[in-house]
Structures are given as C-alpha cells and as structure tokens.
Amino acid sequence: MTSRCVNPKHRRTRLRPVLLAVAGLAVLIAAGDDARARSGERLIESIETRSASEPLIAIVSLRDQRITVYDAKGWILRAPVSSGSKGRETPAGIFSVIQKVEEHYSNLYDDAYMPHMQRITWSGIALHGGVLPGRPASHGCIRLPFEFAERLFDATKMGMRVIVAPTDVAPVELAHPLLFQPKPGAGAMAAARTAEAQEAARKAAQARLAAETAFREASRAREPVRAAENLKRRAEVQLAAAETRLGAPGSAEAKEQAEDDKAKAAVKVAELQLQSDAASADLQSRLDAVTSAREAAAAAETARAAAAEAARQAERELQPISVLISRKTQRLYVRQAFKPILESAVTIADPDRPIGTHVFTAVERSGDDTKLRWSAVSMGGGRPPGATLEPDDRARAKRGRDAEPVPTDPGTAKAALDRISIPQDALDRIGNITPRSSLIVTDEALSTETGKGTEFVVLLSGEPQGGIKKRRRSPGTDFRYARPRSSPFWGSPFGNSFSAW
C-alpha cells in the first residue's frame, strides 16, 4: 500500500520555487510602481476647460498623498506627493511660502538635493522636488514630482497659502458680513500717489538737469575771466617796462617812444580791466544760478523721495493682509508682508466650545473695486494622538488619489464666523483688503513658527507633528528667488489631462 502522506519538509521543498516566483513577481510589481512614482508617471492632472490664472492656495492631503493647487475659479493642478514618514510626519496646519530657492541642499540630511525648494517653516518644512515611492517617506517635507516642482516654483509668489490637511478638502465660495471688503477709494488713492511720485520724479530729473546745465555754463564762464586776467597781466608788464624806460637815461627820441608805449599799455590795461570785470560779473551770476539750481534740485529730490515713500506706502496698503482669530487666546492678529501690524482683543461667543480651523481667502474682485469674492476651507478637528489617516497600503492610497476632494461645508464655516465679534476700532485699523488677503479662524494659538519673515503658521494640535518637533526654527536672512524663465507655466492648455511630467 502506498502512503498518500507527504513529508512536510518535502512539501515545503516542492513549494519553494512557486513561492519564490510569486515573491519575485511582487517585487517586480512594487519596483514598477516605485519606478513610475520616481519618474513622475503617477497621475498629474491639469485643468483644460478654462485658462488658469495665478495660483492662490495649495492644499496637501496627508491621507491621499496629493497636492491640489487652486486659483480664483477652482482647481488648476493636482499631483501626488510624499509627505513625512511615521515619527517624522509632515505637520497638518496652515502655512505660506516664505522662501524660494531654486537649487537647495539640505543642511540637516547629508546635503540632500532639494530642487525648487519652497520653504513653509524656518525649521525646515518645505515643498521640493524629490523621489515619490508612493507612500509617506520624507523627513517631514512634502516631496513633489521633479518637473512639477520646477513648474510650480516658477508660478508661485512669496506668501502663497499652503494648507496641509489630514484629508482632502476643497474650498467653496462664501459670503458673510464678517468677511472684509476693500475700503472705498483705496485703489484710486494708490494710483494718485503713484502718479504724484512719477511727476515728482520727473520734476526732480528736470531740476538735476538744470543744475548740471548751470554748472556747465558756469564752468565755461570761467574761461573769459581767466583769459582777460592773463591779457591784463601782460599789458601791466608792458606798462611797467615803458615806465622803466622813461626813467632811464636816453635820447629824446627814446623817451618819446617810451612815453607812447606807456600810453598804449595804460589804455590796454584799462580795457582789459573792463573785460575782466564784465567776465567776473557774468561768472558770479552763473555761480549764483548754480547755487539756486542746486537748491532747487535738492528740494525736488526731497519732494521726490517723500512722494516715492507715499507711493510705496500706498502700494504696501494694497498688499494682501492676513488676519488670524484664535479662540484659545481670544485675540485677533494682523500681519502684512510677513510683518505684524496689529493685535487686538476679540469676542468669540461660547468661548469654551470648539470653533474649528477655517481659512477664508479673498480670491478676486467681483466686477468693481468695492466687493471681493471669498472662498472658505474648513479643516477637520484633531484626532487622538497616535491615530493616523495616512494610507496603509498602495490600494488605499490609489483610492484616495482617485477620490475627489470633499467640498467645505459652508454652514460650518458660516457658523464659525457667526460667533465672532470684532471691535470697531480694530476693524478701522485693519487696513485695505485686496485679493489674496485672508482670514484664519482657529481653535489653536499661533505656532512658535510664526515670527520674523513668516506669515501666520497654525498647527493642528490633534495631529502628529513629528516632522516639526525634531527641528529647530532658524529664520534665514537671504531671500532668493527663481531665475526668470521664458515660458510661463500657467498658460492654457496645460497638455494632456493625465500627463507624465
């Protein structure tokens, strides 16, 4: 009788080639996925149904490992990302681009190459080109496909808002009485100041030219004076010689000749004295004109500098303003051009109840200078420490990338605004509101990352912050920008909807 039992050891021996083949296929599939990720072949979408305008806001979804860039009318570009790995998680929160360096090398991680780096914290969190293995893998930064990072670098401006959200959320248009509107006539005032500065500059240039012309004319007027004085000295020498001959012994004929020479020399000296006096008078008048012209030029330059400063101030007032209202501190903060300009108390109804974290952005003017359209992005509340919304495997990540961002609930955003009362004196001091201005309402206090050379930085306290807790804040002193490029990024069309950059 033949036994049908199989020695388990022999069974494993027979199965080993099969297992090796399956494992090898899995490795090849994974390697293919990684290769596609590194080459930027994962789905990068661009809007083609309209012309894209300047990017206003970028939203990074940690769960979906995706960045979506929005202009005033909606999304314009999407790309995969690789955020911070476990223990070095990219912190969820609100940031802005505070520095741009085209060719950057890390001073923390073995001089690692980080091309087209756009810094969002001074402690080292940034957007930059890098390898995308299809999962969170960085030390806290947000890696982008290399070509995408380059093109995004060329398109963005300093201060562009970057929201790092636990889940993918989309902005929605919102109207509310608390959302600031432009001050009447601010644009016209800035235009008038600019025109005044241009006119003052024109007058200053004319005054400088007049002073230079007067100086040249005075310089030319010195020549007749020097010439008359030289001729007069020669005539005086001749006069003295004739007088010497008259006093010396000699014939009557010699005396008569000396007398005649003396008379002629005396006439010549008198004539040259008159010429010298006239030339000197003309020179003095021209020197007086130089003095007057220089004084006028100095006054015109002072007026030009004052007008230029007034124009710059008016232009600064047209720069975007950021307002942050913190439930935790019950205060309102205002920053403009990376500098604090105002802090005030604010009233939040039911202050012990969470209000959430919301970013309201003035996206564009609605037909005239008196109204602005606003969008709202609401970020989910925190979750218990240790929880994660990042993808656990490739299948979950793919489903996340294919899913559309969830639009912000307008009711939730309006409810947050309904609870806020801003003192009138603070409203009067906030300044003029322009497109790209923003209002942040949050339960959180300002992050310590907010400081010199930054916009507001808000970190969601319920989210992992490993990628920022391990870093030290070190504000830079030099702001470097991208070199000019001949081809604009935000043209239309972008190319294929799913292109491999």
Side-chain angles (χ1 to χ4, degrees), residues 214-393:
F215 179 76
R216 286 195 300 269
E217 292 177 350
S219 297
R220 287 194 294 266
R222 296 179 187 277
E223 293 300 324
V225 173
R226 284 195 290 266
E229 289 178 346
N230 288 336
L231 292 174
K232 177 186 172 186
R233 281 195 292 271
R234 292 178 186 176
E236 288 173 343
V237 170
Q238 294 173 356
L239 178 60
E243 289 176 342
T244 300
R245 290 199 304 273
L246 280 174
S251 63
E253 184 179 350
K255 294 285 187 181
E256 183 179 354
Q257 183 62 46
E259 192 68 40
D260 184 55
D261 291 342
K262 177 183 176 181
K264 290 179 180 179
V267 170
K268 189 66 173 177
V269 168
E271 291 175 351
L272 292 172
Q273 182 63 53
L274 291 175
Q275 291 181 17
S276 177
D277 291 344
S280 296
D282 180 64
L283 174 60
Q284 187 58 51
S285 68
R286 294 186 184 280
L287 290 175
D288 292 342
V290 169
T291 300
S292 177
R294 284 178 172 172
E295 290 174 352
E301 177 59 24
T302 300
R304 183 208 63 77
E309 179 56 32
R312 282 192 293 270
Q313 179 60 33
E315 185 65 25
R316 282 193 293 268
E317 292 175 359
L318 292 181
Q319 291 183 12
I321 289 177
S322 293
V323 181
L324 184 140
I325 296 174
S326 167
R327 183 182 67 88
K328 186 170 185 178
T329 63
Q330 295 285 301
R331 296 193 70 78
L332 172 148
Y333 310 87
V334 181
R335 293 178 79 88
Q336 187 177 36
F338 297 162
K339 295 179 181 178
I341 60 175
L342 176 64
E343 181 178 338
S344 171
V346 70
T347 301
I348 299 178
D350 196 3
D352 294 330
R353 180 165 56 92
I355 200 170
T357 294
H358 314 269
V359 180
F360 304 91
T361 305
V363 293
E364 66 179 359
R365 301 186 187 278
S366 57
D368 56 39
D369 287 344
T370 61
K371 294 291 183 182
L372 285 170
R373 291 177 50 239
W374 285 80
S375 71
V377 174
S378 295
M379 302 171 65
R383 59 179 184 273
T388 178
L389 282 175
E390 295 176 345
D392 295 328
D393 53 42

Side-chain angles (χ1 to χ4, degrees), residues 30-326:
D33 287 345
D34 284 355
R36 284 191 295 275
R38 284 191 291 270
S39 64
E41 291 180 3
R42 291 165 62 192
L43 300 182
I44 298 175
E45 303 174 70
S46 58
I47 192 71
E48 289 184 322
T49 57
R50 62 180 175 82
S51 296
S53 57
E54 180 182 288
L56 288 175
I57 189 170
I59 299 179
V60 176
S61 169
L62 295 175
R63 182 190 65 186
D64 303 323
Q65 292 292 282
R66 176 171 65 185
I67 182 172
T68 305
V69 182
Y70 296 86
D71 68 0
K73 294 180 173 60
W75 78 273
I76 52 178
L77 199 65
R78 289 174 182 158
V81 304
S82 181
S83 62
S85 58
K86 187 173 180 59
R88 297 181 181 272
E89 297 89 352
T90 303
I94 302 167
F95 310 87
S96 294
V97 174
I98 58 175
Q99 187 188 37
K100 300 178 67 171
V101 182
E102 190 167 11
E103 294 187 11
H104 178 70
Y105 294 86
S106 173
N107 58 0
L108 295 176
Y109 303 111
D110 299 324
D111 207 32
Y113 184 41
M114 298 178 177
H116 303 100
M117 186 273 288
Q118 301 193 65
R119 185 185 299 275
I120 60 175
T121 75
W122 284 121
S123 58
I125 307 295
L127 308 169
H128 63 80
V131 174
L132 275 63
R135 63 185 182 277
S138 78
H139 287 81
C141 286
I142 300 165
R143 296 182 192 168
L144 310 171
F146 286 106
E147 184 70 14
F148 175 85
E150 177 182 2
R151 292 173 181 262
L152 184 65
F153 185 93
D154 290 342
T156 58
K157 286 185 176 180
M158 293 282 287
M160 186 192 77
R161 182 75 66 204
V162 178
I163 296 176
V164 180
T167 61
D168 209 351
V169 61
V172 296
E173 187 167 347
L174 191 74
H176 192 278
L178 195 70
L179 295 175
F180 313 110
Q181 293 297 331
K183 292 186 176 180
M189 177 66 71
R193 292 287 182 266
T194 299
E196 290 171 1
Q198 292 172 345
E199 178 63 16
R202 185 186 66 80
K203 290 181 177 179
Q206 289 180 338
R208 285 195 302 271
L209 180 60
E212 292 168 1
T213 301
F215 179 76
R216 286 195 300 269
E217 292 177 350
S219 297
R220 287 194 294 266
R222 296 179 187 277
E223 293 300 324
V225 173
R226 284 195 290 266
E229 289 178 346
N230 288 336
L231 292 174
K232 177 186 172 186
R233 281 195 292 271
R234 292 178 186 176
E236 288 173 343
V237 170
Q238 294 173 356
L239 178 60
E243 289 176 342
T244 300
R245 290 199 304 273
L246 280 174
S251 63
E253 184 179 350
K255 294 285 187 181
E256 183 179 354
Q257 183 62 46
E259 192 68 40
D260 184 55
D261 291 342
K262 177 183 176 181
K264 290 179 180 179
V267 170
K268 189 66 173 177
V269 168
E271 291 175 351
L272 292 172
Q273 182 63 53
L274 291 175
Q275 291 181 17
S276 177
D277 291 344
S280 296
D282 180 64
L283 174 60
Q284 187 58 51
S285 68
R286 294 186 184 280
L287 290 175
D288 292 342
V290 169
T291 300
S292 177
R294 284 178 172 172
E295 290 174 352
E301 177 59 24
T302 300
R304 183 208 63 77
E309 179 56 32
R312 282 192 293 270
Q313 179 60 33
E315 185 65 25
R316 282 193 293 268
E317 292 175 359
L318 292 181
Q319 291 183 12
I321 289 177
S322 293
V323 181
L324 184 140
I325 296 174
S326 167

